[in-house]
Every structure is written in C-alpha cells, then in structure tokens.
C-alpha cells in the first residue's frame, strides 16, 4: 500500500568527461512523482584525471507517495542532461473472505 517507504535508495551515476568539462562538476538530482518534486539533491562528480566517473548518491528514508512513475532527472548548469523513469505499480490486493 502507499505511501511506501524505502529504507535506503542508491542511484548510480556514470558520466563521461567531455573536453569542455572541468575536472570537478556539480549538478542536481531531482526526483519527481506526478510532476511533484519529492527531493532535490546536489551532487559532485570528480574525474581525478579519468575520462569516466561512477558516483553513487545514497538516500535514506525515501518515500514513494503513490503508484505513479518516479522520474530521476539529472541537471548540470541548470539544464536537464538525463532523465530516467522508474515504473511504480500497485499490485491487485486479494480479497479477504471471512466466514
């Protein structure tokens, strides 16, 4: 039933450094449900001289308010650079028959 609480949620971000990118870039992860912003989380990507970087954003106590798609939007320089959608479904509930 909803709202549904996840004790922990991890979002893995894999990025490739472009020639114009700094060695450290900052952005925001925006999480939405039905176009309602649930969370906005700043993140920092440090390339440390590498071309590809993997970052993990950990969220404790994430609440899914309803069985609707959850959008994960990554912004850099106030521009949306990526969007991923997680389908959230409500399973049918078996009726309880009392005698």
């Amino acid at each position: 039933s909803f709202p549904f609480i996840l004790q922990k949620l991890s979002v893995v971000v894999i990025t490739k450094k472009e020639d114009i990118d700094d060695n450290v870039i900052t952005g925001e992860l925006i999480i939405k449900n039905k176009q309602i912003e649930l969370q906005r989380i700043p993140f920092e990507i440090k390339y440390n001289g590498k071309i590809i970087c993997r970052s993990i954003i950990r969220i404790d106590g994430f609440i899914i308010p309803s069985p609707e798609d959850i959008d994960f939007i990554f912004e850099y320089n106030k521009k949306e650079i990526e969007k991923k959608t997680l389908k959230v479904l409500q399973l049918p509930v078996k009726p309880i028959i009392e005698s």
Side-chain angles (χ1 to χ4, degrees):
S1 67
F2 290 88
F4 184 78
I5 300 172
L6 293 173
Q7 290 183 351
K8 294 184 184 287
L9 174 68
S10 296
V11 179
V12 179
V13 181
I14 300 173
T15 57
K16 182 177 180 184
K17 186 177 185 299
E18 302 291 331
D19 292 336
I20 60 171
D21 289 335
D22 294 327
N23 205 30
V24 176
I25 61 173
T26 58
E28 290 185 311
L29 167 62
I30 302 158
I31 305 173
K32 292 183 175 183
N33 176 255
K34 294 194 289 187
Q35 297 302 314
I36 298 168
E37 187 174 308
L38 302 176
Q39 284 191 303
R40 182 177 290 261
I41 303 163
F43 66 88
E44 186 175 78
I45 296 172
K46 297 178 183 177
Y47 287 103
N48 296 325
K50 298 178 182 173
I51 295 174
I52 295 177
C53 179
R54 180 191 72 200
S55 302
I56 299 174
I57 301 169
R58 292 184 178 90
I59 304 165
D60 291 326
F62 182 74
I63 297 173
I64 300 174
S66 62
E68 302 284 334
D69 292 354
I70 302 265
D71 293 321
F72 295 84
I73 302 161
F74 297 91
E75 283 189 356
Y76 171 61
N77 285 338
K78 303 291 182 193
K79 293 181 186 172
E80 183 179 309
I81 57 171
E82 187 71 39
K83 178 179 172 181
K84 297 293 180 186
T85 301
L86 175 68
K87 296 276 186 199
V88 178
L89 304 173
Q90 171 80 45
L91 296 176
V93 179
K94 280 181 127 178
I96 298 173
I97 301 173
E98 294 181 16
S99 54

